[in-house]
Amino acid sequence: MMKTVFVAVAAIMATAPALAQDPSASPVFGETTLRAGFDDGAPFQRRFRGGGPNDASSLPGSCTGNIGTPPDFRVNYTAGSNPLIFRSVSTADTTLVINGPDGRWYCDDDSFGDLDAEYRFNRPQSGVYDVWIGVVNGREADATFVVSER
């Protein structure tokens, strides 16, 4: 019986994708703690350099762009009834890659308009959101990361 369980676990691990992203690593550009209701007319914003050496398409879902290994930024969030919206704003073509509190990967390219990304959690969970800003057709670019409820 023990041998069967070991073989089954080994088979599952062999088929799991090897990810270069490490959500447990310290975020490169810091973190913040936000509670529902934080956006009273001024969304949270942070400027940093997005991109990196890893191809986000290796992640589950339809992720695109080049991203780093550790998260760019971490948001510790306490949910309420408001949506939680992440955006990237840049002169370059940027994407968003988010590892949510549920361990799932959420990705977007171009939903905010132009070449900027937006991911909207209509019913966000409380917990940690690790965020990478990816860059399409380039390795790095200056970007503004925006967290809003509107």
Side-chain angles (χ1 to χ4, degrees):
M1 175 69 161
M2 192 66 152
K3 183 177 180 183
T4 304
V5 171
F6 176 76
V7 171
V9 170
I12 290 169
M13 290 177 68
T15 59
L19 304 176
Q21 282 52 61
D22 184 1
S24 68
S26 294
V28 176
F29 299 102
E31 64 184 280
T32 192
T33 298
L34 300 172
R35 300 180 65 80
F38 73 90
D39 185 0
D40 59 357
F44 175 86
Q45 296 186 38
R46 179 67 56 95
R47 290 200 41 84
F48 57 81
R49 194 141 180 90
N54 304 309
D55 183 354
S57 67
S58 66
L59 294 167
S62 56
C63 299
T64 60
N66 291 323
I67 58 177
T69 301
D72 288 321
F73 202 79
R74 178 169 292 142
V75 176
N76 302 294
Y77 184 68
T78 302
S81 59
N82 298 331
L84 180 64
I85 305 161
F86 295 98
R87 294 185 183 119
S88 64
V89 179
S90 178
T91 57
D93 186 359
T94 56
T95 66
L96 281 173
V97 175
I98 303 163
N99 185 255
D102 58 2
R104 292 180 52 203
W105 293 92
Y106 301 89
C107 305
D108 184 69
D109 181 19
D110 300 340
S111 289
F112 186 51
D114 298 331
L115 300 175
D116 296 325
E118 175 180 275
Y119 197 92
R120 178 185 187 100
F121 293 90
N122 288 319
R123 293 190 177 114
Q125 297 177 13
S126 293
V128 175
Y129 292 80
D130 286 310
V131 180
W132 289 258
I133 290 186
V135 177
V136 176
N137 298 323
R139 297 269 297 197
E140 294 184 346
D142 291 328
T144 300
F145 172 57
V146 179
V147 184
S148 176
E149 295 177 310
R150 308 166 202 241

